[in-house]
Amino acid sequence: MREGNRIWEIDFLRGLAIILMIIFHVVFDLKEFYAYPLNYSEGFWFYVGKAAASLFIFICGISANLSANTRKNGIIVLAWGMALTVITYLYTPALYIRFGILHLLGLSLLVYPFIREPRSGVVITMGLIILFTGLSFSKIAVTTDWLLPFGLTSTTFASLDYYPLVPWFGLFLIGTAVGKFAYASKMSLIPFRVKAGIINRLGHKSLFIYLVHQPIIYAILLALKHLQFI
């Protein structure tokens, strides 16, 4: 049922999210650094990026039910998020990451032990309320960015990566409820053994790949530029 002690389909979906994320960031770099006529702020490429993030957040919620120590995992992920805040501030102060997806996932994992007990229906309802509240918040502009973790920002706010608790924590909550129901036995839902492939391996190392993929993409594109392939 599992490959080793891992649930096959969760790593597979996380691996797909990694692939979508890499594709989106290739498009982002081509647009921002090489002036390619690609639009990632709306349309197809926008939804590729959001699909990657949504999968990550939803799967993180499912996986929270399978982890023996979500607090430890949350601290690790949040620490890397803060490290990216410092690195991106040094690189581009105008667009540095103040509350990106790692901040969101780290805090969500830290909060999870406090919402482990409620029934799945209650958690899904909470998640939906947060998601729909986010739709309202996206239309509200405030005069300060101190509330940005909750989805309220000023009209001048800009960031390389921004995934506030409202609405995205709602998707995490829905993932936890699905995980509690679907993976109560902590076993794969696939009724036959599946050999893990490269996509699963990407999913298994998702945090590491997330941290290193952008510098690697930038270096590859720079090399291609020097070779006049782009």
Side-chain angles (χ1 to χ4, degrees), residues 200-216:
N200 288 67
R201 293 187 180 93
L202 291 174
H204 188 187
K205 302 294 183 181
S206 58
L207 179 59
F208 173 76
I209 295 170
Y210 181 87
L211 293 171
V212 304
H213 81 284
Q214 188 64 293
I216 291 174

Side-chain angles (χ1 to χ4, degrees), residues 67-223:
S67 174
N69 196 338
T70 54
R71 285 193 181 94
K72 177 182 177 182
N73 294 339
I75 290 170
I76 291 171
V77 173
L78 183 58
W80 279 115
M82 296 305 296
L84 286 183
T85 293
V86 174
I87 292 168
T88 55
Y89 180 78
L90 295 174
Y91 177 70
T92 173
L95 296 172
Y96 76 99
I97 299 172
R98 282 177 267 185
F99 202 89
I101 195 167
L102 292 187
H103 300 78
L104 166 71
L105 296 180
L107 283 177
S108 296
L109 289 170
L110 286 172
V111 169
Y112 174 71
F114 300 102
I115 50 96
R116 184 190 293 267
E117 296 304 323
R119 295 177 179 272
S120 294
V122 173
V123 175
I124 289 176
T125 300
M126 290 169 55
L128 290 173
I129 290 172
I130 294 172
L131 283 174
F132 284 113
T133 300
L135 295 177
S136 299
F137 279 13
S138 65
K139 302 174 184 177
I140 299 173
V142 294
T143 57
T144 176
D145 288 326
W146 287 105
L147 296 174
L148 67 87
F150 304 100
L152 292 170
T153 62
S154 67
T155 55
T156 59
F157 173 75
S159 178
L160 292 170
D161 186 40
Y162 181 51
Y163 283 89
L165 293 167
V166 181
W168 295 102
F169 182 60
L171 185 58
F172 174 85
L173 286 179
I174 293 171
T176 66
V178 172
K180 186 181 297 185
F181 171 77
Y183 292 100
S185 64
K186 298 188 177 182
M187 298 291 290
S188 172
L189 301 180
I190 298 175
F192 52 85
R193 189 177 184 86
V194 180
K195 184 177 180 179
I198 187 171
I199 295 179
N200 288 67
R201 293 187 180 93
L202 291 174
H204 188 187
K205 302 294 183 181
S206 58
L207 179 59
F208 173 76
I209 295 170
Y210 181 87
L211 293 171
V212 304
H213 81 284
Q214 188 64 293
I216 291 174
I217 291 172
Y218 183 80
I220 291 173
L221 292 179
L222 186 62

Side-chain angles (χ1 to χ4, degrees), residues 38-61:
L38 299 167
N39 187 355
Y40 60 80
S41 61
E42 61 182 11
F44 178 77
W45 295 119
F46 173 83
Y47 290 110
V48 167
K50 292 308 177 188
S54 297
L55 261 181
F56 271 127
I57 297 165
F58 182 70
I59 293 298
C60 184

Side-chain angles (χ1 to χ4, degrees), residues 21-36 38-41 45 91-92 95 159-161 214 217 221:
M21 176 191 70
I22 291 172
I23 292 171
F24 177 78
H25 284 148
V26 168
V27 170
F28 178 91
D29 287 358
L30 286 172
K31 166 69 173 179
E32 294 300 319
F33 301 120
Y34 300 100
Y36 269 61
L38 299 167
N39 187 355
Y40 60 80
S41 61
W45 295 119
Y91 177 70
T92 173
L95 296 172
S159 178
L160 292 170
D161 186 40
Q214 188 64 293
I217 291 172
L221 292 179

